[in-house]
Amino acid sequence: MSDPRIAILIPGKIHPRVLEKLGKLFDILTVETGRGPTIERETLSRVRGVACAGGLNAAWIDALPNLEVIANFGVGYDGIDVAHAASKGIVVTNTPDVLNDEVADTAIGLLLNTLRQMPRAENWLRAGNWKPGQSFPLSPFSMKGRHVGLFGLGRIGLEIAKRLEPFKVKISYHTRSRHKDVAYDYFPTLKEMAAAVDTIIAIVPKTAHTHRVIDAEILRLLGPDGVLINVGRGWSVDEDALIAALRDGKLGAAGLDVFYDEPVVPEGLLSLPNATLLPHIASASVPTRNAMADLVAENIIQWFTTGRPVTPVPETPPRSKG
Ligand code: DGY
């Protein structure tokens, strides 16, 4: 299928494979990030699909009168005004499953690094500190004997839980409703889980229900030996409370791949030795990003060929074009 009359808009940067695949079939229009819909109206009216990595707001959606499909690069699609798209019958797709393993692997790596301080130990070695009679200080924390509470047990959360099992830690979880088919202990509230566990791994999306829910109280309940790992969204954490808890020893350590206002990382976090910080790399390997890019392209291609995108999000009917 090739139809150069169909224009696909790419606002901002996207993985080159998306451009390469879609460029063979459609007319690709690229615009800079942040630029509002100032393109001439006739061009905008030719746009029937959008492929994006940075989101799409209501103003953009309104400016594209013939838009049918928005394909998001990423499993989290909080950057897209999905409710607005749904109200106009526009389908939104995301990239689930293809990144589950990578994000789960990163979560385990981040947990181990946070507990055992491997990046700091390597930096110490590289700085020439390893001399006869000198050894890197013992890590204050260990994986051994931990009780890990998963905040979120979706597809990625389940993969994280599976990977935790061989570490012989106790595993619990909190989600809004109990999973009937898992044996881990369930806590109906985040607060109850925080009081019972010593480690929280957060893997929840950005929604109205998850805004800064990991607050001073939750961190206090985790306690001085407690550890917070976040591979979901920075939106879920009260960063000021986190900085205060880490600084004052009320929380033991934190490992963060995501931040409230990315790419801005608060100075208070950067200066804390008990914070392990990554630049939102959970899915950022060449093979996984290639798979995500292929799925973005495939969602657009399938929409225009069969009317059935591969991975539509649940909020945006119609799920099928015909
Ligand atoms: C996603 O896909 O939403 C992840 O945050 C990318 O790492």
Side-chain angles (χ1 to χ4, degrees), residues 73-76 95 99 103 231-233 257 280-284 289 292:
F73 185 95
V75 67
T95 60
L99 45 57
V103 177
V231 285
R233 287 289 181 263
D257 183 47
H280 201 149
I281 54 153
S283 67
R289 288 288 168 89
M292 290 165 68

Side-chain angles (χ1 to χ4, degrees), residues 195-212:
V197 304
D198 52 34
T199 308
I200 285 182
I201 300 181
I203 178 69
V204 285
K206 178 176 175 179
T207 70
H209 303 286
T210 59
H211 189 219
R212 290 193 171 129

Side-chain angles (χ1 to χ4, degrees), residues 55-97:
L56 200 72
N57 62 22
W60 265 110
I61 293 172
D62 286 340
L64 303 167
N66 296 310
L67 183 60
E68 299 170 30
V69 59
I70 305 167
N72 184 58
F73 185 95
V75 67
Y77 46 95
D78 43 83
I80 297 175
D81 193 331
V82 181
H84 198 61
S87 74
K88 300 189 134 199
I90 297 164
V91 172
V92 176
T93 68
N94 66 340
T95 60
D97 294 324

Side-chain angles (χ1 to χ4, degrees), residues 96-111:
D97 294 324
V98 291
L99 45 57
N100 293 353
D101 289 330
E102 204 71 73
V103 177
D105 291 349
T106 307
I108 299 298
L110 183 54
L111 174 59

Side-chain angles (χ1 to χ4, degrees), residues 97-321:
D97 294 324
V98 291
L99 45 57
N100 293 353
D101 289 330
E102 204 71 73
V103 177
D105 291 349
T106 307
I108 299 298
L110 183 54
L111 174 59
L112 281 169
N113 273 345
T114 305
L115 293 166
R116 300 298 323 284
Q117 305 184 323
M118 286 182 257
R120 284 180 70 199
E122 182 170 348
N123 288 342
W124 180 89
L125 177 153
R126 285 178 187 274
N129 291 310
W130 199 19
K131 305 220 170 79
Q134 300 293 320
S135 50
F136 185 70
L138 305 184
S139 70
F141 305 116
S142 167
M143 183 78 120
K144 203 168 162 53
R146 291 235 146 221
H147 182 179
V148 181
L150 281 150
F151 176 30
L153 200 68
R155 289 176 275 219
I156 300 173
L158 280 167
E159 289 297 333
I160 297 173
K162 270 193 232 164
R163 281 159 175 73
L164 284 170
E165 286 178 17
F167 287 98
K168 300 180 276 186
V169 295
K170 186 166 161 49
I171 304 168
S172 299
Y173 72 102
H174 162 65
T175 51
R176 283 200 286 165
S177 42
R178 184 193 286 267
H179 284 244
K180 291 189 189 77
D181 46 357
V182 301
Y184 313 126
D185 286 347
Y186 173 70
F187 287 92
T189 66
L190 179 59
K191 200 170 159 181
E192 285 166 275
M193 184 171 82
V197 304
D198 52 34
T199 308
I200 285 182
I201 300 181
I203 178 69
V204 285
K206 178 176 175 179
T207 70
H209 303 286
T210 59
H211 189 219
R212 290 193 171 129
V213 285
I214 301 174
D215 58 10
E217 173 71 349
I218 298 296
L219 300 171
R220 186 189 64 75
L221 289 167
L222 276 176
D225 291 328
V227 169
L228 171 70
I229 302 296
N230 192 4
V231 285
R233 287 289 181 263
W235 167 264
S236 308
V237 177
D238 179 339
E239 280 180 349
D240 289 339
L242 177 62
I243 292 164
L246 288 168
R247 186 195 54 217
D248 302 341
K250 293 193 174 132
L251 179 74
L256 310 172
D257 183 47
V258 287
F259 300 88
Y260 197 88
D261 185 24
E262 293 176 12
V264 179
V265 178
E267 189 51 47
L269 278 175
L270 291 172
S271 55
L272 283 169
N274 50 352
T276 297
L277 311 172
L278 298 178
H280 201 149
I281 54 153
S283 67
S285 71
V286 169
T288 294
R289 288 288 168 89
N290 282 350
M292 290 165 68
D294 289 348
L295 188 49
V296 170
E298 205 48 33
N299 270 309
I300 300 249
I301 294 165
Q302 286 304 318
W303 175 256
F304 288 109
T305 51
T306 67
R308 282 180 296 281
V310 193
T311 47
V313 304
E315 299 95 319
T316 60
R319 300 181 68 137
S320 158
K321 198 179 180 191

